[in-house]
Amino acid sequence: MKKLMLTRRRFLTAAAAGLAGTALAGCDAFDGMMAPGSPVRNFLAGANDLTLGVQRALIGREALAREFSESEIRQGMRPNGATNPNSMDYMFLRQGNFGLYTLEVGGLCEAPQSWSLEELHNMPSRTQITRHDCVEGWSCIAKWTGVPLAHILGEVKPRASARFVVFHCFDVHAGGAGGVPYYESIDMIDAYHPQTILAYGMNGAPLPVENGAPLRVRIERQLGYKMAKYISRIELVEDLSPLWGGKGGYWEDLGYDWYAGI
Amino acid sequence: MSAPSNEEKAGAGSRAKGPVIHRQSIWTRATHWTWVVCLFFLLLSGLQIFNAHPRLYIGQESGFAYDNSVFSIHAERTPEGGVAGVTTVWGQRFETTGVLGFSGGGDQPLQSRVRAFPASVTIPSYQDLATGRVVHFFFAWALVGTMLVWFVASLVNGHLRRDIVPRGADIKGLPGDVARHTRLRFGHGRSYAPLQKLSYGLVLLILFPLIVLTGLAMSPGINAGWPWIVDIFGGRQTARTIHFCVMVLLVAFFVVHVAMVVLAGPVNTMRSIITGKYRIDAGEEER
């Protein structure tokens, strides 16, 4: 019996040691080397290029994100990030119910153009019920209606040198002198993808302000932070580094991966 | 499999010593330690990622206007004006102040103390989802690469067939092995004991592939290319919940695994997974 007690004690001690080891392990030992800008962090972030390369190689260019049925829309779209931009130009446009809004598309293209919201409404449209996946971990199903970006690109005729589509936005966020405006970028593969639309409608109604009115982009094979809201201007560029933090997006400049397909 | 007479002998440590054999190949040892590093960083960065939205659901989406949540860790105001950490599991409420939901010392700002998993078990220690993701995906690739190396090597060198896949004899020997384990009597044979075999098989052939697949099921890119990965789990949010549950099982395996190493004789077992050399009990060598 004594032997059994002893071995039981040994068992408990061993189990406790294992637990304590796990609990103590994390702490702040890795904070410095994981901070944005550190060489270790940059090395680890290289795995995202591998993810992009492998996903692009394995997933067809035209492969569509899952579309859902009307009955699967069980709630409103959860608003996240900026929900009510307070820049002067946005508040002015909002007051007029976006009647004076124009979408300007320029940069590396043959025929830069501007369109009013009404003109965008009169273009070919696509409606899709998709699942929005936030980088935080939650998902929400909603119906989106808008102009395929491919149609817009067909109108402005991108030059061969155009490698990225950049979305400039009205919402200004904390950081830097006078704040940093939201912006995002995608490559031409995602730009021409059939489900990439400039949405002006949501769940059968005009796009609400909290979800990005008057215009937001849907990029259904990536996470929510890529799908810029409150778009003011679209620019075709060859290189992302001259823009703001140089990483191709507001969240990317803060350390998030440019490719958000995972 | 031990000879029946071994069962009659006294508990661990008192067996007659046998010869030292070469037990673990370089492939088994190298992949084992690579996994140790990978799983360490995957766990701590995974808890960081979980902290960004510390709630699990069943289904395709997360219910905000309705309730399909099965697990959550959050903080609440107490009637006295303090803050309490609360964990809910299938509707059951548990107060977990100090560990889950609300943790850290009183000298820290309140805002940083409201967090699902405490700073001691996340990388980085502070809230930083972007960095958690960078760390997680790097080691996820390393884990998958090591799994492939292990699988091919173990198939070729026979480790998989000999030591991992259970055979009829293992199933027959199971009740006896369970009895030995409950009495904490461990033999040191040439091959793994039935329970050992089953637990390694469960981890390597079921839990590892499951945690990778549920991880991929959360990728919107993979969802477009291979929608069946989401379908087999019944939705992205269910996959996220299963991913979390498999993590809990792997942590449980780790705790038991380390306890067994200590109980079965830490010097001998650690030597076998570092150098490959392992001393078996006398009478085990003839088989």
Side-chain angles (χ1 to χ4, degrees):
Chain A
M1 192 62 206
K2 189 165 177 244
K3 185 158 229 154
L4 201 62
M5 296 284 287
L6 273 176
T7 48
R8 198 165 277 165
R9 186 176 300 159
R10 264 173 81 190
F11 177 83
L12 290 173
T13 313
L19 275 175
T22 347
L24 290 172
C27 61
D28 48 10
F30 302 101
D31 287 359
M33 69 177 87
M34 299 303 182
S38 92
V40 175
R41 155 80 180 239
N42 289 343
F43 174 73
L44 298 182
N48 193 248
D49 298 332
L50 181 61
T51 304
L52 171 62
V54 170
Q55 288 205 2
R56 283 277 189 259
L58 295 178
I59 300 163
R61 279 188 172 222
E62 304 275 298
L64 297 181
R66 166 70 51 87
E67 295 194 14
F68 296 84
S69 64
E70 292 273 353
S71 65
E72 286 170 287
I73 306 173
R74 297 180 61 190
Q75 58 188 351
M77 177 65 200
R78 178 185 166 92
N80 201 30
T83 50
N84 193 8
N86 58 4
S87 60
M88 290 299 285
D89 44 358
Y90 184 80
M91 294 203 299
F92 170 74
L93 290 170
R94 185 189 172 177
Q95 223 161 26
N97 208 15
F98 305 108
L100 294 173
Y101 171 81
T102 54
L103 171 70
E104 192 187 307
V105 185
L108 298 173
C109 58
E110 303 298 338
Q113 285 181 60
S114 297
W115 291 280
S116 71
L117 207 51
E118 200 191 333
E119 287 169 322
L120 292 171
H121 275 268
N122 290 331
M123 287 181 182
S125 76
R126 189 179 201 284
T127 295
Q128 58 206 30
I129 300 171
T130 52
R131 195 193 63 222
H132 179 101
D133 299 327
C134 179
V135 66
E136 293 166 2
W138 54 265
S139 310
C140 200
I141 293 172
K143 179 161 82 172
W144 305 94
T145 301
V147 191
L149 183 58
H151 179 81
I152 299 283
L153 293 175
E155 296 285 316
V156 301
K157 300 181 179 65
R159 292 195 188 133
S161 56
R163 292 181 54 217
F164 302 100
V165 176
V166 179
F167 306 95
H168 296 280
C169 306
F170 286 111
D171 47 326
V172 178
H173 295 250
V180 185
Y182 202 91
Y183 77 107
E184 257 305 338
S185 60
I186 53 174
D187 62 13
M188 301 312 278
I189 293 176
D190 273 326
Y192 280 108
H193 186 263
Q195 285 172 321
T196 300
I197 60 173
L198 299 172
Y200 46 70
M202 192 193 88
N203 289 343
L207 185 64
V209 165
E210 56 183 15
N211 297 106
L215 209 58
R216 82 172 295 172
V217 66
R218 299 292 311 166
I219 301 148
E220 304 290 1
R221 301 188 299 180
Q222 295 205 44
L223 296 174
Y225 68 87
K226 296 300 287 185
M227 306 191 221
K229 308 198 280 189
Y230 315 110
I231 295 171
S232 64
R233 183 166 67 86
I234 293 176
E235 186 184 7
L236 294 158
V237 300
E238 185 175 9
D239 178 17
L240 297 170
S241 60
L243 300 165
W244 302 103
K247 300 278 169 49
Y250 171 78
W251 287 111
E252 287 85 334
D253 290 340
L254 293 174
Y256 285 82
D257 295 314
W258 177 78
Y259 179 64
I262 187 145
Chain B
M1 259 191 316
S2 332
S5 62
N6 277 359
E7 280 182 54
E8 310 309 320
K9 293 182 183 171
S14 60
R15 288 158 195 252
K17 282 183 178 178
V20 172
I21 61 160
H22 183 80
R23 194 195 212 195
Q24 306 290 9
S25 79
I26 181 70
W27 297 101
T28 308
R29 288 177 277 139
T31 52
H32 173 272
W33 290 109
T34 310
W35 281 329
V36 169
V37 174
C38 289
L39 292 171
F40 172 84
F41 284 102
L42 281 166
L43 172 65
L44 303 192
S45 59
L47 298 180
Q48 166 74 245
I49 295 170
F50 177 83
N51 274 5
H53 189 76
R55 192 174 280 272
L56 299 173
Y57 311 83
I58 295 294
Q60 288 286 359
E61 66 170 1
S62 316
F64 298 111
Y66 61 98
D67 189 13
N68 63 343
S69 160
V70 290
F71 180 81
S72 82
I73 303 176
H74 59 275
E76 285 178 9
R77 280 273 170 202
T78 60
E80 298 80 40
V83 184
V86 175
T87 302
T88 61
V89 187
W90 286 106
Q92 294 289 313
R93 255 177 74 95
F94 302 95
E95 202 195 311
T96 50
T97 309
V99 186
L100 303 177
F102 188 70
S103 55
D107 52 326
Q108 291 160 4
L110 194 73
Q111 202 188 334
S112 72
R113 298 181 65 196
V114 174
R115 48 183 300 147
F117 285 99
S120 57
V121 293
T122 64
I123 291 179
S125 63
Y126 47 86
Q127 190 63 43
D128 181 357
L129 173 60
T131 302
R133 283 169 55 83
V134 165
V135 175
H136 204 70
F137 297 144
F138 176 88
F139 287 100
W141 273 112
L143 179 88
V144 170
T146 311
M147 277 167 65
L148 288 177
V149 169
W150 175 85
F151 189 80
V152 172
S154 302
L155 206 61
V156 171
N157 69 20
H159 176 55
L160 194 60
R161 174 178 45 79
R162 194 176 56 238
D163 304 322
I164 303 297
V165 177
R167 275 180 265 179
D170 296 307
I171 308 300
K172 259 184 267 167
L174 199 57
D177 197 40
V178 170
R180 276 192 297 279
H181 273 82
T182 49
R183 283 176 289 160
L184 300 178
R185 290 179 180 183
F186 306 105
H188 303 85
R190 204 169 268 279
S191 54
Y192 296 149
L195 272 178
Q196 199 177 6
K197 221 173 185 179
L198 284 175
S199 59
Y200 295 166
L202 178 74
V203 168
L204 293 162
L205 303 177
I206 296 173
L207 297 186
F208 273 15
L210 196 55
I211 208 153
V212 172
L213 280 177
T214 49
L216 288 174
M218 285 186 265
S219 152
I222 295 292
N223 283 197
W226 302 322
W228 59 267
I229 293 188
V230 202
D231 295 340
I232 56 175
F233 298 114
R236 180 179 193 255
Q237 290 300 321
T238 310
R240 183 169 175 260
T241 301
I242 297 171
H243 195 72
F244 187 90
C245 293
V246 176
M247 175 278 290
V248 172
L249 290 176
L250 287 174
V251 169
F253 167 79
F254 168 76
V255 171
V256 174
H257 186 55
V258 170
M260 292 296 134
V261 165
V262 172
L263 291 170
V267 176
N268 196 23
T269 47
M270 287 303 283
R271 178 176 61 181
S272 77
I273 200 65
I274 294 170
T275 69
K277 302 260 186 292
Y278 184 66
R279 187 182 293 283
I280 58 175
D281 296 332
E284 287 282 323
E285 59 269 39
E286 299 88 17
R287 293 176 307 109

